[in-house]
Amino acid sequence: MTWLVTGGAGYIGAHVVRALTGAGERVVVLDDLSTGLPDRLPPGVPLVRGAVSDRSLLEETIAGHGVTGVVHLAARKQVGESVERPLTYYRENVHGLTVLLEAVVAAGVRRFLFSSSAAVYGMPDVDLVTEDTPCTPLNPYGETKLAGEWLVRAAGRAHGLATACLRYFNVAGAARPELADTGVSNVIPMFFGALTRGEAPRIFGDDYPTPDGTCVRDYVHVADLADAHLAAARRLAELPPGEDLTVNVGTGRGVSVRELADLVAEVTGIREPAPVVVPRRPGDPAGVVASAERIGRELGWAPRYGVRQMVASAWEGWRLRRPEAAAPGGTGSDG
């Protein structure tokens, strides 16, 4: 197999590329580098700079590298931005996927793995979210991921592709510091950013129906997520044409925002200023925790890393790219 990994120079993508190449798979990366970094890629992995909406570039890349399977991670993924710019999200996440699938079908590629999200579930009122939990996304980002799943499965049935959709829960950590997330929109880097600036980390609401009143989420280490992609990619080789496998990628264990804030303080050694509680954000569900039963049964996958390892590895990556965070006491300007 030769795998085309779209978005392969991104935070998650680079981990997936390393998991695939480490297992002996051939990989070519397509990335527009809007958030990706070329130096995340292992030596020898070809990088094609461009967008998945560029049909001619896709055709050239698939033919030129003998692509036989696709792992599609390239997408916009900020919930707030999707509310402000829904047309952009539908154009890039849904139209871009359409163009990619057209090129895949035309080239006779028969394996397609789609990066989905727990955002497809919206605000489920269940203790554990299974793959059969109704999908009612709350924002355009989640809508585009659900529409993407529909499109991938429909194309698979119509054109004989074996497909897989991986619904990520909250991804954190880094396999190596240089591969860490450079964004600041997720809760762990948001805490790091506040502490680096000498500000109090913010907790959005403490009156939820949870043990400590703060939101509960399921966090999965990005290296474990990459292993799930490898397992799914290999399973695709066994699936009959037109068959689909959709699984959650989570640990089945919930961590509250308050617990996470305490762990960040412990790992960084920065305990002041203490977190402050601010009003809830609209649309934040009280708790979203994955059932990991199906992925364990179907792919033999289980998480290897806990939340402490996620926070510690993320902090190493944060300090690598922000020297001010490594100063005595860990505080300073965020630049």
Side-chain angles (χ1 to χ4, degrees):
M1 297 284 293
T2 296
W3 293 94
L4 171 63
V5 181
T6 70
Y11 163 53
I12 294 173
H15 283 87
V16 171
V17 167
R18 287 177 180 269
L20 289 169
T21 56
E25 301 286 347
R26 293 188 298 271
V27 172
V28 56
V29 168
L30 176 73
D31 200 304
D32 66 4
L33 301 184
S34 56
T35 59
L37 300 172
D39 62 6
R40 283 178 169 146
L41 297 177
V45 172
L47 170 62
V48 178
R49 183 170 183 175
V52 295
S53 57
D54 187 336
R55 176 67 182 269
S56 61
L57 180 62
L58 289 172
E59 292 174 346
E60 179 183 330
T61 302
I62 291 171
H65 293 273
V67 170
T68 52
V70 173
V71 179
H72 179 48
L73 298 105
R76 287 187 174 269
K77 63 175 187 175
Q78 302 304 327
V79 169
E81 183 185 54
S82 79
V83 175
E84 298 168 358
R85 304 175 63 190
L87 297 177
T88 298
Y89 270 67
Y90 272 85
R91 181 180 67 248
E92 298 205 13
N93 291 4
V94 180
H95 173 68
L97 173 59
T98 303
V99 176
L100 175 60
L101 284 167
E102 289 172 343
V104 162
V105 169
V109 175
R110 291 291 179 261
R111 308 282 184 268
F112 197 95
L113 196 164
F114 178 62
S115 163
S116 189
S117 168
V120 301
Y121 294 116
M123 194 181 297
D125 186 19
V126 293
D127 291 334
L128 287 177
V129 179
T130 74
E131 291 82 358
D132 297 321
T133 299
C135 293
T136 53
L138 298 175
N139 50 67
Y141 167 67
E143 292 167 2
T144 64
K145 285 299 182 181
L146 184 56
E149 289 190 12
W150 293 339
L151 182 55
V152 165
R153 294 191 198 105
R157 290 190 297 267
H159 301 286
L161 280 70
T163 61
C165 299
L166 303 188
R167 293 173 174 171
Y168 309 168
F169 279 65
N170 296 268
V171 185
R176 296 163 54 174
E178 62 270 24
L179 300 181
D181 191 1
T182 57
V184 293
S185 59
N186 296 324
V187 63
I188 292 175
M190 285 174 63
F191 283 167
F192 290 164
L195 293 173
T196 301
R197 295 188 299 270
E199 300 173 0
R202 295 185 297 169
I203 295 175
F204 293 95
D206 64 352
D207 57 349
Y208 288 93
T210 61
D212 65 13
T214 66
C215 291
V216 172
R217 296 290 183 268
D218 189 330
Y219 295 91
V220 59
H221 196 291
V222 67
D224 284 331
L225 177 63
D227 288 341
H229 283 77
L230 174 61
R234 290 187 160 170
R235 179 64 182 279
L236 282 175
E238 304 169 357
L239 287 181
E243 288 292 312
D244 174 76
L245 175 67
T246 296
V247 293
N248 292 332
V249 188
T251 66
R253 298 185 296 273
V255 179
S256 77
V257 176
R258 176 70 71 182
E259 290 172 325
L260 194 63
D262 291 344
L263 187 54
V264 166
E266 185 177 324
V267 167
T268 64
I270 307 173
R271 300 184 180 276
E272 296 294 337
V276 296
V277 176
V278 297
R280 293 184 182 191
R281 292 182 299 192
D284 271 351
V288 183
V289 180
S291 167
E293 181 180 344
R294 182 180 293 181
I295 190 172
R297 182 177 68 248
E298 295 287 348
L299 298 181
W301 177 91
R304 294 178 296 154
Y305 301 101
V307 68
R308 173 180 291 277
Q309 291 162 301
M310 297 180 215
V311 172
S313 60
W315 179 238
E316 289 181 15
W318 180 270
R319 292 196 301 171
L320 176 67
R321 297 190 184 274
R322 295 169 177 82
E324 69 275 13
T331 59
S333 170
D334 205 27

